Amino acid sequence: MTEIQPAIWKRFSKKQSLERYGIEFVLLLIFIWATQSVDIYWPFVTDAPAQAVDLLHRMTPPSVVFIKAIIPSMIETINIATLSTIFAVILSFPLAILNARNTTPHPIVQMVARVIIVTSRSVNELVWGLIFVVFFGPGVVAGVAALTMRSLGFMAKLVSESIEEIDHGQVEAMRATGANGAKVFIFGVLPQVMPIIIGTSIFRWDINIRQSSVIGLVGAGGIGILLTSSMNMFKWQNVSMILISIFVVVLAGEYVSATVRKKLT
Amino acid sequence: MFSVKNLDKTYPTGQHALKGCSLDIDNPQIVAIFGPSGAGKSTLIRCINRLVEPSSGEVFLDDLELTGLKGKDLHNARRQMGMIFQEYNLIERLTVMENVLSGRLGYVGFFNAMFRRFPQDAVDEAFSLLERVGLKGYHNQRADALSGGQRQRVGIVRALIQHPKILLVDEPTSGLDPKTAMIIMQLIKDLAIEKGIPAIINIHDVKLGQDYADRIIGMADGVIVFDGPPSKVTAETLTMIYGEEDWSKTIRKVEDEEE
Amino acid sequence: MSDTGASTVWKRDHFIKNPILRWIVILVGSAYLIYAINDMNFNLDRMRTGWPRAVDFFQRMFPPDYSRWTMIYKGVFESLQMAIIATTVSIFLAIPLSLAAAANISVKFVYVIARAFIVLARSFPPILVAIMFVKAFGFGPFPGILTLSFTALGFMGKLLAEAIENIDKGQVEAVRATGANWFKVQLYGVAPQVLPRYVGLSIYLLDINLRASTIIGIVGAGGIGGALFNAFHRYEYDTALAILIAIIVIVLVMEFISSKVRSRLQ
């Protein structure tokens, strides 16, 4: 951003502008470092447009008959997304309770919960896929396990944050009736966080639809397996049909998720 | 029937909120506690049902000493004390009926609470109490759809359905307009008399307190500085409680009556 | 409903009030669940064979093997470079894109094209985009940078366009009233209002891109992900764990920096 600076009036003091130039200069240096040292084979870059046109050419027209193979695989993909979301919602709930500052039984338990959440969130679903394929062998089970693991931390983090933000007065009122901890929870806490749990679950389902189309690349079930095999056989017209189907399903999922969330909240 | 002996509370922050408070209630009466914000009124009430843990001292409900209770005994003791809150503290997203029945949480099991299976006599009582406070037909409304006065009525019913031996009331009218405030105070007073139980009411509206209470307790800086009937409340008493101010307007009514 | 004196029944209102619809939802829902779980082909036999493999997996994973340290840090640096380049490219290209995709500024024709591009860029997971770019342009960080720039552009374009659509019109009108031309209106009427959001999003984008850059290597698009994938395939799970830890650390560090900077900006 450049400011047009008249002679007398200056937007920033000398120190401020020095600071700004300093930051901009450092950012520029970082960028130059990144571009200079990155391991790019430049002939690839100059050749890129031609290659792109070539690939697009091989991909058209998309093979419409291949839809017969795509549909069952796509259903499997949606199943993976749905099941993993359900499992993640169920498992994340106790995790969220253990992690929330105001409901955790003990700081050490909270630490353990936090470690699980952080690990779950910072390991990509493809990596979880690689791990669970080792456990269960290739297939849907590994896919469901992978997406469950990834969604778990996401759900637990958001739900435990919402537990931490509840109105404490309602909890106090339930304690005053002589209810024990569990009953205070279902009356004083649960009704307050329920909208968040429902909203986040649907949102996560939407994300999982996207991700479940990918985990097949490491053998964890769904449409990704079909995509990999089509690519390995250089069936580019099948590939383009798969991509179109994924695009349609993702958009449909986003639409469903947005509509349901609007209806419920 | 109820007494507090030498109750003391120091918060972890170092704030010394209660400094050896004692009081006895021997008959069903309405006790209003006066005092500026921070005088310890709220802490006193919460130390009684142990929402706040007192540092030392004793609380007796009939012959039961409350400060040493743990777990189930504590829950059973709390269920004998109904509490009404400043901000109503209703479960906003639940219906009026669920809010009222939540007063019975101390009596029902976990799964019955979860699936909202409350005994029929509790439901019957809830309906009749709702009618008594003028909320007939509101049982399936959500609490967040009610006005402030209506919410506080639900709060009162929730406390009463516990079958309490005493009512602990924390600033019941501070969020309400003057007329609704009077109606709510009247309702609390009438119901306490009907049930034959005492009520301890924190209130900072001096006139409202004098109008409805049988006994006034004044607190300043964690200490009880006045204890007597409303007719004994003078400008000097209020100065002792709240500090220097022209109190003549506030208490004219009492002085008029004495003349 | 409630007659005085008589015993009255109270039941909580059902979530779905129409009983027919409620039962349809319940039945269809549980039928689908049974089918979907059944379709997983989950059986205990596989669990039984999987268990020793899992035990073996963990035994081989510990302790993490850092002997290929140079490979790990080269991979991490490459991920970082890819993220930096892609973020820079996309935050610059996002400016014209978001102007084109903002309903209150753009013209209808341009708006439709820009929105279509955003939808396309946002719908595909980065990994899918990466695999196509790798097929088209070969292995290495170049298709990786293209992938990150493409997906990041969709993300940034959408959020920035929304920010522009939500600006205070009064300020724009005031600048227009001075007789400024279109470009100056954008610079003085629009830019100051969306600038904080723009800077915040840029840093968030670097965070997102770094996460993605550690993973797209799995399909050959550069960065540390490739090393991870290879380690898995050579059954070198101890090296894989070392790489995984490295990934988690840089992702967390970046998340920390990003949230710190963003909260300072507010």
Side-chain angles (χ1 to χ4, degrees):
Chain A
M1 210 187 117
T2 51
E3 255 93 19
I4 303 153
Q5 291 172 341
I8 303 164
W9 175 76
K10 278 220 169 80
R11 167 99 183 265
F12 298 104
S13 72
K14 209 162 200 173
K15 185 164 171 268
Q16 274 178 318
S17 33
L18 258 175
E19 241 176 55
R20 283 169 72 90
Y21 286 132
I23 292 172
E24 278 157 23
F25 184 66
V26 170
L27 289 179
L28 187 69
L29 278 187
I30 293 174
F31 179 69
I32 290 172
W33 164 76
T35 41
Q36 290 309 302
S37 60
V38 74
D39 180 25
I40 289 180
Y41 184 58
W42 292 98
F44 274 3
V45 181
T46 47
D47 198 28
Q51 292 293 337
V53 171
D54 182 49
L55 186 66
L56 278 178
H57 188 71
R58 277 179 283 164
M59 281 167 78
T60 40
S63 158
V64 179
V65 285
F66 194 60
I67 200 95
K68 276 200 218 118
I70 292 178
I71 286 175
S73 186
M74 201 49 118
I75 290 174
E76 191 177 278
T77 310
I78 295 169
N79 288 351
I80 292 174
T82 311
L83 287 177
S84 57
T85 308
I86 292 172
F87 292 149
V89 170
I90 295 169
L91 292 173
S92 68
F93 187 60
L95 197 59
I97 295 169
L98 299 182
N99 183 53
R101 208 184 324 110
N102 47 348
T103 49
T104 190
H106 195 272
I108 292 176
V109 179
Q110 190 190 19
M111 272 271 286
V112 174
R114 184 143 296 170
V115 167
I116 296 175
I117 290 172
V118 166
T119 316
S120 157
R121 269 165 35 81
S122 36
V123 175
N124 189 281
E125 52 275 337
L126 276 185
V127 178
W128 285 121
L130 283 170
I131 293 172
F132 284 114
V133 166
V134 175
F135 288 9
F136 301 116
V140 179
V141 178
V144 172
L147 281 184
T148 304
M149 273 314 285
R150 180 69 199 264
S151 316
L152 186 62
F154 175 88
M155 289 289 307
K157 179 168 187 269
L158 293 179
V159 173
S160 84
E161 276 169 6
S162 78
I163 293 178
E164 285 174 356
E165 281 159 18
I166 56 169
D167 166 21
H168 191 69
Q170 299 181 30
V171 176
E172 200 178 35
M174 291 300 101
R175 292 214 298 146
T177 67
N180 62 20
K183 284 183 276 185
V184 169
F185 184 82
I186 54 172
F187 267 75
V189 180
L190 203 53
Q192 294 192 57
V193 296
M194 212 54 200
I196 306 282
I197 294 179
I198 293 172
T200 323
S201 307
I202 296 166
F203 181 44
R204 188 65 218 187
W205 176 78
D206 182 10
I207 298 174
N208 280 350
I209 288 277
R210 243 167 263 238
Q211 306 302 1
S212 62
S213 63
V214 163
I215 50 167
L217 297 180
V218 294
I223 190 88
I225 289 180
L226 204 58
L227 184 71
T228 322
S229 64
S230 303
M231 277 182 176
N232 290 343
M233 291 185 290
F234 304 105
K235 296 262 170 79
W236 293 107
Q237 295 175 346
N238 292 356
V239 169
S240 54
M241 196 64 220
I242 293 173
L243 290 179
I244 291 170
S245 320
I246 292 176
F247 183 64
V248 170
V249 169
V250 165
L251 282 190
E254 199 171 286
Y255 176 76
V256 170
S257 148
T259 334
V260 173
R261 272 193 292 166
K262 205 173 275 171
K263 270 235 168 97
L264 287 180
T265 48
Chain B
M1 70 202 301
F2 176 81
S3 70
V4 171
K5 289 195 173 72
N6 278 322
L7 212 55
D8 213 274
K9 173 65 186 176
T10 307
Y11 283 102
T13 52
Q15 186 198 347
H16 199 174
L18 286 185
K19 297 168 183 164
C21 292
S22 298
L23 78 120
D24 285 280
I25 301 177
D26 300 319
N27 58 317
Q29 55 180 189
I30 308 295
V31 181
I33 304 184
F34 284 180
S37 328
K41 303 189 303 271
S42 202
T43 305
L44 175 62
I45 259 194
R46 281 170 171 75
C47 278
I48 292 171
N49 66 356
R50 304 252 314 269
L51 289 178
V52 168
E53 212 52 61
S55 306
S56 67
E58 289 169 315
V59 178
F60 288 94
L61 182 61
D62 290 340
D63 293 327
L64 186 66
E65 205 285 307
L66 302 180
T67 57
L69 297 178
K70 281 192 183 121
K72 201 161 173 52
D73 293 334
L74 175 61
H75 297 145
N76 286 343
R78 272 189 191 144
R79 131 188 136 173
Q80 297 174 32
M81 297 176 280
M83 187 155 178
I84 297 166
F85 296 86
Q86 178 174 13
E87 302 290 339
Y88 328 123
N89 287 355
L90 300 185
I91 313 302
E92 296 286 317
R93 297 181 49 84
L94 297 185
T95 60
V96 166
M97 185 51 103
E98 282 167 297
N99 268 290
V100 170
L101 290 174
S102 71
R104 281 293 181 96
L105 277 179
Y107 293 85
V108 300
F110 174 77
F111 285 101
N112 284 338
M114 184 145 137
F115 295 109
R116 313 292 195 260
R117 281 196 300 260
F118 289 88
Q120 186 60 45
D121 63 318
V123 176
D124 290 342
E125 193 183 346
F127 273 121
S128 74
L129 279 171
L130 280 175
E131 197 176 336
R132 171 69 184 80
V133 301
L135 288 176
K136 188 182 175 183
Y138 280 90
H139 53 275
N140 274 342
Q141 291 252 6
R142 253 171 62 159
D144 52 11
L146 302 181
S147 70
Q150 291 171 329
R151 286 181 198 208
Q152 196 56 293
R153 287 160 205 249
V154 177
I156 293 170
V157 174
R158 175 173 68 188
L160 286 176
I161 207 167
Q162 285 177 234
H163 296 162
K165 290 181 179 166
I166 186 168
L167 281 178
L168 307 172
V169 190
D170 189 19
E171 302 283 2
T173 59
S174 67
L176 303 173
D177 64 77
K179 181 157 179 281
T180 315
M182 277 159 64
I183 296 171
I184 290 294
M185 284 302 285
Q186 188 67 52
L187 203 52
I188 293 173
K189 180 172 181 152
D190 291 350
L191 285 164
I193 292 170
E194 258 172 55
K195 307 287 173 191
I197 54 175
I200 301 179
I201 306 178
N202 284 344
I203 191 157
H204 54 221
D205 186 327
V206 171
K207 184 167 175 310
L208 209 56
Q210 281 177 302
D211 285 352
Y212 292 95
D214 306 314
R215 175 177 164 192
I216 306 288
I217 286 176
M219 283 187 79
D221 200 21
V223 180
I224 293 180
V225 292
F226 175 84
D227 189 347
S231 53
K232 292 272 168 61
V233 175
T234 59
E236 289 87 80
T237 337
L238 291 176
T239 302
M240 198 157 63
I241 300 171
Y242 291 99
E244 206 64 56
E245 185 62 59
D246 176 18
W247 297 106
S248 55
K249 282 211 177 79
T250 322
I251 52 166
R252 179 174 296 155
K253 185 174 163 278
V254 177
E255 286 171 339
D256 288 348
E257 277 168 2
E258 279 179 340
E259 276 166 11
Chain C
M1 164 167 183
S2 60
D3 290 325
T4 31
S7 188
T8 24
V9 185
W10 170 79
K11 269 180 92 178
R12 182 164 51 150
D13 264 1
H14 286 282
F15 185 62
I16 302 169
K17 290 206 175 73
N18 179 344
I20 301 168
L21 185 66
R22 180 167 72 240
W23 280 106
I24 290 175
V25 169
I26 292 172
L27 284 177
V28 170
S30 34
Y32 169 76
L33 263 188
I34 292 168
Y35 148 76
I37 290 175
N38 205 37
D39 203 49
M40 268 168 72
N41 284 320
F42 187 83
N43 58 40
L44 280 174
D45 273 355
R46 279 177 65 176
M47 204 51 194
R48 222 167 282 145
T49 51
W51 181 248
R53 271 198 300 229
V55 172
D56 176 59
F57 178 79
F58 278 115
Q59 276 171 350
R60 290 211 213 173
M61 227 177 182
F62 289 97
D65 176 11
Y66 287 100
S67 61
R68 304 236 188 95
W69 174 241
T70 44
M71 176 193 76
I72 296 176
Y73 90 68
K74 268 187 185 158
V76 168
F77 268 89
E78 191 166 81
S79 286
L80 203 56
Q81 289 167 335
M82 285 160 56
I84 290 168
I85 296 172
T87 305
T88 315
V89 169
S90 52
I91 61 177
F92 279 111
L93 292 182
I95 297 172
L97 178 65
S98 57
L99 287 174
N104 54 343
I105 284 176
S106 184
V107 286
K108 190 83 190 165
F109 176 67
V110 181
Y111 172 80
V112 171
I113 293 176
R115 283 285 167 171
F117 176 82
I118 288 174
V119 169
L120 196 68
R122 274 171 40 79
S123 292
F124 291 107
I127 277 282
L128 272 190
V129 180
I131 203 169
M132 292 316 294
F133 281 144
V134 167
K135 293 294 171 190
F137 311 130
F139 293 103
F142 173 59
I145 291 168
L146 279 185
T147 301
L148 298 179
S149 309
F150 180 69
T151 51
L153 199 49
F155 174 84
M156 186 83 171
K158 177 168 190 275
L159 293 180
L160 205 55
E162 275 164 12
I164 295 173
E165 284 171 355
N166 289 332
I167 57 169
D168 171 19
K169 287 189 193 69
Q171 297 183 34
V172 180
E173 253 171 19
V175 178
R176 187 173 291 143
T178 64
N181 65 20
W182 186 88
F183 184 74
K184 283 179 190 156
V185 170
Q186 307 314 313
L187 195 62
Y188 280 88
V190 179
Q193 293 193 52
V194 293
L195 194 65
R197 179 106 175 105
Y198 178 70
V199 177
L201 278 176
S202 302
I203 292 152
Y204 185 42
L205 206 58
L206 185 62
D207 185 6
I208 294 177
N209 275 339
L210 186 68
R211 268 167 202 269
S213 73
T214 61
I215 206 69
I216 52 176
I218 286 185
V219 295
I224 184 74
L228 181 67
F229 193 60
N230 288 335
F232 260 97
H233 271 243
R234 292 198 212 108
Y235 306 106
E236 292 166 354
Y237 298 137
D238 46 0
T239 308
L241 181 61
I243 297 171
L244 212 50
I245 291 171
I247 290 178
I248 292 176
V249 168
I250 58 160
V251 165
L252 287 182
V253 167
M254 191 63 227
E255 189 178 281
F256 178 76
I257 294 173
S258 150
S259 69
K260 269 277 134 65
V261 175
R262 274 184 293 154
S263 66
R264 253 196 72 177
L265 283 172
Q266 274 161 9

